Amino acid sequence: MPSFFDARIAERLAALPLVARSAMLGSVSGRHQSPHRGSSVEFAEYRRYQPGDDLRRLDWRAYGRSDRYYVKEFEADTNLRLILVLDASGSMAYANKFDVARQLAATLAYLAIGQGDASGLVSAWDGQYEHMPARRIAGQVEQLFARMERLQPVGDNAVCEAISEFAESTRQRAMVVLISDFLFDLDRLKTSVEHLTFRKHDVVAFHVMTAEEIRPSWDRPVRLQDMEGDESMLVDPEEIRSGYETAVREYLTNIEKLMHRSAVDYHRMMTDDAVEDVLSRFLSARLGDAAR
């Protein structure tokens, strides 16, 4: 098992089911409410055409709308499809943010597949993104872990583009879990998450931050390096402290408002928080909401 996955934590959390806030599309008998009655939904989702795909599965209507080639994927449906959106841009390399993000993603994937649901991964790094479709087949956990292990945080952010691409190409409702430090333009983020909620996805956000980012402990001039570019800046902490703390407070207030207004289930966590505690609270809250 990779270093970012602790099977003991996952087994303890398995006592709490992962449930959706809203109706999911599916035909497998389970705990998740489905909007369909008495019918089986076989179409799973679209994905971008790749050389070697069966040309009979090309969707020409999707091509007409987007001028891009998509193929239809069919599989035995599940009542919950968990899509993990993992930010692997350069800023996630700061401190241990990416390690925490991978631990969150790996544990949630294990829990979903362990309860008979499907899990997939959208990863975004250096201006690029990749979509591993949600499946509940044997070996899916290992494939997801292998992909997460290969990822290294680097380059520009592409989370918003990845979210929009997924929302545009996937018809079946899913629980979409965004795991990021969200250090990018909030207007772009708003557009992307509203695209997901418009498509009736159940959107969750885990906002991963370090204590140093909120309240720096610098006591002498330091050079700050842009982790997603080449720029750097020499700053005196005494000169910028007040303005920096004000800017951080405004940013946190604005992102909370954005998530609330966009109907996103938002959770801020610090890198020194125990992942088990964070997920236990999340799963318990979900279970309580479903019981009401």
Side-chain angles (χ1 to χ4, degrees):
M1 287 292 180
S3 60
F4 51 81
F5 177 72
D6 189 326
R8 294 168 299 178
I9 290 176
E11 290 300 329
R12 289 194 293 269
L13 289 170
L16 294 167
L18 177 62
V19 296
R21 286 191 303 181
S22 55
M24 295 286 106
L25 296 179
S27 60
V28 176
S29 176
R31 60 174 57 91
H32 313 289
Q33 180 187 5
S34 172
H36 291 286
R37 295 294 180 266
S39 65
S40 174
V41 181
E42 294 184 358
F43 171 65
E45 61 189 354
Y46 289 103
R47 65 170 172 79
R48 295 287 291 274
Y49 170 80
Q50 297 177 351
D53 283 336
D54 186 347
L55 295 178
R56 292 173 298 182
R57 293 168 58 196
L58 280 172
D59 190 291
W60 296 106
R61 290 184 180 179
Y63 173 76
R65 290 192 301 268
S66 64
D67 201 32
R68 296 178 179 176
Y69 292 108
Y70 291 99
V71 296
K72 289 183 176 180
E73 289 210 326
F74 297 85
E75 64 179 64
D77 290 311
T78 181
N79 280 354
L80 186 144
R81 300 170 67 80
L82 174 68
I83 303 296
L84 298 152
V85 180
L86 184 58
D87 182 357
S89 60
S91 65
M92 292 293 288
Y94 181 69
N96 61 332
K97 285 194 290 188
F98 191 63
D99 292 336
V100 170
R102 284 196 298 190
Q103 189 178 359
L104 278 169
T107 307
L108 285 169
Y110 180 90
L111 293 174
I113 293 174
Q115 69 181 27
D117 291 318
S119 184
L121 176 70
V122 174
S123 48
W125 75 101
D126 199 20
Q128 307 173 65
Y129 48 88
E130 178 183 86
H131 178 200
M132 290 181 63
R135 305 186 192 281
R136 58 187 184 92
I137 59 175
Q140 178 72 350
V141 167
E142 289 77 9
Q143 292 183 41
L144 291 170
F145 286 4
R147 176 57 187 151
M148 291 180 199
E149 197 161 27
R150 289 195 301 271
L151 284 171
Q152 296 296 325
V154 64
D156 295 337
N157 201 293
V159 169
C160 293
E161 292 81 0
I163 294 171
S164 295
E165 171 80 8
F166 171 81
E168 189 63 34
S169 62
T170 303
R171 297 292 181 88
Q172 192 165 13
R173 297 178 193 174
M175 179 189 294
V176 182
V177 179
L178 315 177
I179 307 175
S180 172
D181 57 11
F182 297 112
L183 291 179
F184 43 85
D185 182 72
L186 294 188
D187 287 336
R188 291 171 55 215
L189 177 61
K190 179 177 183 291
T191 300
S192 298
V193 297
E194 287 182 347
H195 197 171
L196 289 172
T197 54
F198 175 78
R199 298 283 186 174
K200 307 300 184 184
H201 296 295
D202 178 5
V203 185
V204 182
F206 285 99
H207 188 176
V208 182
M209 301 188 72
T210 70
E212 190 78 2
E213 288 174 310
I214 294 179
R215 190 177 295 275
S217 60
W218 318 321
D219 56 5
R220 61 182 184 277
V222 294
R223 180 168 294 278
L224 303 180
Q225 175 68 46
D226 180 359
M227 300 187 76
E228 297 185 8
D230 298 325
E231 295 183 12
S232 65
M233 179 184 300
L234 184 65
V235 299
D236 184 333
E238 293 305 318
E239 292 181 358
I240 70 165
R241 193 179 308 279
S242 176
Y244 179 88
E245 291 179 355
T246 298
V248 169
R249 283 195 301 271
E250 290 178 354
Y251 162 74
L252 294 177
T253 298
N254 288 337
I255 198 168
E256 285 183 9
K257 287 181 179 177
L258 183 161
M259 295 296 187
H260 178 72
R261 291 170 179 169
S262 302
V264 175
D265 186 5
Y266 174 75
H267 303 266
R268 186 192 308 154
M269 71 168 295
M270 311 307 293
T271 54
D272 54 2
D273 291 341
V275 168
E276 181 174 2
D277 293 342
V278 171
L279 288 179
S280 179
R281 290 192 295 270
F282 166 69
L283 295 169
S284 296
R286 285 262 158 163
L287 190 58
D289 291 341
R292 286 198 287 269

